[in-house]
């Protein structure tokens, strides 16, 4: 097996691929997601997604062979609550993730009931529309400790040599109360800091991420950091690898600046 890269993706809003006007607005994001499978040295055996939409008191790993759907969004058309993305799960790899985390001294449990949230099924539908790629998720841990999530990534870096593609799925800007033209400047300021940070490698990059809340417009861009913390797992699993920006949109969701990165 070739070593797979890791990714942090901005996953867009709600069930956007199924809403024509939203999908048109996110055409740049869509193209970036379509391109990801083409960037890989070989087809993954499975994809592990760390989504900003699943949080637990203990790191939890989706272990169902056929995960259900989780419609964790509000105010969208009725048909978007009937969406089915019936990709298979990856219970064997779920057990492997638990083994790696526990061996590293990180408490982790499996969850046979958790389903795909939209931070997973929306972008993965674009990447693998046939739903034929085994997919499973790892939760965030409540408290959002940057150090803990970096450590999780470090513990899981060997999966990259075992055919598992690791994707942190969130948003580089996530303030649902600040949209439209008012979002442009703070999202741009934080995005510039993020790019400068991710262009570094090793301890320098990780140390800057530990102090992310002091970045320009950080708490405006992320009042609650659930959509930023998936980045830490992707970085931890590729700590020495170069970052490449694979998506950049100055009008994401209307006017915010958003980006995605590949590591390795």
């Amino acid at each position: 097996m070739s070593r797979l890269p890791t990714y942090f993706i901005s996953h867009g809003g709600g069930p956007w691929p199924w809403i024509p006007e939203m999908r048109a607005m996110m055409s740049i994001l869509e193209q970036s997601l379509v391109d990801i499978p083409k960037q890989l040295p070989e087809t993954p055996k499975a994809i592990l997604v760390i989504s900003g939409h699943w949080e637990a008191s203990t790191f939890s790993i989706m272990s169902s062979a056929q995960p259900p759907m989780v419609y964790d969004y509000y105010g969208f058309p009725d048909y978007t609550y009937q969406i089915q993305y019936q990709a298979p799960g990856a219970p064997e790899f779920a057990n492997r993730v638990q083994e790696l985390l526990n061996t590293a001294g990180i408490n982790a449990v499996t969850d046979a009931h958790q389903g795909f949230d939209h931070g997973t099924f929306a972008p993965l539908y674009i990447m693998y529309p046939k739903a034929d790629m085994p997919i499973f998720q790892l939760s965030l841990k409540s408290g959002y400790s940057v150090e803990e999530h970096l450590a999780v990534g470090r513990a899981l870096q060997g999966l990259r040599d075992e055919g598992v593609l690791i994707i942190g799925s969130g948003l580089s800007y996530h303030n649902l109360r600040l949209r439209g033209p008012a979002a442009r400047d703070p999202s741009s300021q934080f995005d510039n800091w993020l790019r400068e940070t991710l262009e570094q490698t090793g301890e320098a990059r990780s140390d800057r991420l530990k102090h992310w809340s002091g970045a320009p417009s950080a708490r405006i861009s992320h009042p609650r950091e659930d959509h930023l913390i998936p980045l830490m797992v992707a970085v931890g699993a590729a700590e020495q690898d170069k970052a490449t920006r694979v998506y950049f949109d100055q009008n994401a969701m209307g006017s915010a600046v958003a980006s995605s990165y590949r590591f390795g």
Side-chain angles (χ1 to χ4, degrees):
M1 292 293 299
S2 299
R3 170 163 280 208
L4 294 173
T6 72
Y7 286 83
F8 171 69
I9 61 169
S10 289
H11 62 230
W16 64 268
W18 291 270
I19 301 176
E21 55 270 32
M22 288 187 73
R23 188 164 181 171
M25 186 185 300
M26 299 187 188
S27 60
I28 299 175
L29 174 61
E30 178 168 358
Q31 187 58 55
S32 74
L33 294 170
V34 168
D35 287 343
I36 287 177
K38 303 173 187 176
Q39 297 168 8
L40 304 178
E42 54 192 67
T43 302
K45 294 180 178 178
I47 297 178
L48 173 61
V49 180
I50 302 89
S51 168
H53 291 277
W54 185 23
E55 174 185 329
S57 58
T58 300
F59 286 110
S60 301
I61 310 143
M62 177 189 292
S63 59
S64 172
Q66 193 64 59
M69 302 291 289
V70 177
Y71 305 109
D72 55 341
Y73 39 77
Y74 306 94
F76 289 94
D78 289 346
Y79 69 86
T80 64
Y81 298 90
Q82 307 299 321
I83 292 166
Q84 292 294 314
Y85 184 68
Q86 296 181 327
E92 299 85 358
F93 280 116
N95 291 333
R96 176 66 173 144
V97 167
Q98 184 182 31
E99 175 190 13
L100 288 170
L101 293 180
N102 288 346
T103 298
I106 300 168
N107 188 32
V109 298
T110 56
D111 186 328
H113 303 289
Q114 178 67 28
F116 295 137
D117 62 60
H118 80 267
T120 294
F121 71 75
L124 269 294
Y125 170 73
I126 299 298
M127 291 171 59
Y128 294 97
K130 295 181 180 179
D132 54 358
M133 174 63 65
I135 299 166
F136 66 123
Q137 293 186 218
L138 170 66
S139 77
L140 302 178
K141 183 180 176 183
S142 302
Y144 304 137
S145 165
V146 173
E147 291 88 348
E148 284 189 281
H149 289 84
L150 285 168
V152 163
R154 294 181 191 117
L156 299 181
Q157 62 181 311
L159 290 176
R160 299 171 58 195
D161 300 314
E162 298 176 20
V164 178
L165 179 64
I166 299 172
I167 296 178
S169 177
L171 283 164
S172 61
Y173 174 83
H174 191 248
N175 186 337
L176 299 180
R177 295 185 178 183
L178 187 65
R179 302 183 183 184
R184 186 176 304 278
D185 284 347
S187 64
S188 179
Q189 290 166 9
F190 184 73
D191 197 83
N192 286 338
W193 176 89
L194 190 64
R195 176 179 53 80
E196 292 170 1
T197 296
L198 298 182
E199 284 177 349
Q200 302 185 42
T201 56
E203 291 184 9
R205 180 166 63 194
S206 297
D207 285 344
R208 280 178 64 101
L209 288 172
K210 290 175 186 177
H211 300 95
W212 74 269
S213 62
S217 296
R219 279 300 181 186
I220 299 175
S221 298
H222 293 279
R224 189 170 181 265
E225 59 264 43
D226 50 331
H227 277 56
L228 181 66
I229 294 299
L231 167 67
M232 310 308 168
V233 180
V235 167
E239 205 157 21
Q240 304 303 323
D241 290 345
K242 178 183 176 181
T244 301
R245 188 166 65 183
V246 294
Y247 161 67
F248 179 67
D249 190 350
Q250 294 179 295
N251 293 287
M253 294 172 286
S255 61
V257 175
S259 54
S260 301
Y261 287 85
R262 182 182 72 242
F263 303 93

